[in-house]
Amino acid sequence: MTAAPERILVLLKPDAVERRLTGEILRRIEAKGYSLTALKLVVPTAEVLAAHYAEHVDKPFYPGVVEYMTRGPVVAVVVEGQRVVAGVRSLMGATDPTTAAPGTIRGDFGRDWGTDAIQNLVHGSDSPESAAREIAIWFPELGA
Ligand code: IDP
Ligand code: MG
């Protein structure tokens, strides 16, 4: 018996697209051994973001998050594999790119740019349950 594959919703945020880092970030996820099962380039609406960041909408930095995340396209990706949530979040590194460990995506490519919202290149769902909720928001056409 093998465990059922898990899924995670990954967003390559506007700074990743602007800095031409989408290929490098997807390369790291694929090189780790995970599979990309859905992918799209989209400029998020405020409505999609409010649903996605429901836990943060009342935080003082949320208006900055909207400004950051709606300033250009993001690449939304569904990634699959056993324990993929833990694996991708480990590849991503800590939320704060200034102190994220070297070798991680945020540690290698991110820094503080003095903006209200932390710009950290990538989002990854924090649990399989969050992944299911977020995949339904970004990929309603998958019906899953
Ligand atoms: P995560 O992306 O590592 O899961 P969360 O705490 O879920 O981190 O925060 C979501 C996003 O909101 C972060 O990736 C970052 O862009 C932004 N953010 C989180 N905390 C702060 C903060 O204290 N100041 C500014 N922006 C923040
Ligand atoms: Mg989070």
Side-chain angles (χ1 to χ4, degrees):
M1 281 281 284
T2 52
E6 192 173 276
R7 296 194 300 170
I8 185 171
L9 186 277
V10 173
L11 300 176
L12 311 181
K13 298 183 179 184
D15 48 339
V17 176
E18 291 160 8
R19 294 177 54 202
R20 306 331 194 229
L21 288 168
T22 61
E24 170 63 21
I25 295 168
L26 292 177
R27 188 198 65 73
R28 290 181 178 212
I29 292 170
E30 289 195 295
K32 178 88 170 164
Y34 299 125
S35 300
L36 313 184
T37 61
L39 184 150
K40 68 171 69 160
L41 185 84
V42 57
V43 180
T45 63
E47 290 72 27
V48 161
L49 273 188
H52 175 80
Y53 280 130
E55 65 176 317
H56 295 306
V57 287
D58 296 325
K59 304 259 175 77
F61 59 81
Y62 186 70
V65 169
V66 175
E67 185 182 354
Y68 167 34
M69 293 294 291
T70 61
R71 75 179 189 217
V74 308
V75 177
V77 195
V78 179
V79 183
E80 186 175 292
Q82 281 78 12
R83 302 178 64 202
V84 69
V85 169
V88 166
R89 288 190 59 98
S90 173
L91 289 179
M92 286 166 42
T95 304
D96 178 2
T98 298
T99 54
T104 66
I105 292 163
R106 289 163 166 176
D108 285 352
F109 302 118
R111 53 161 283 193
D112 187 340
W113 297 94
T115 49
D116 288 344
I118 295 169
Q119 299 187 49
N120 53 12
L121 300 154
V122 65
H123 164 84
S125 319
D126 61 12
S127 69
E129 294 72 30
S130 297
R133 190 184 72 82
E134 294 170 5
I135 289 167
I137 292 166
W138 292 88
F139 292 92
E141 66 274 18
L142 295 182

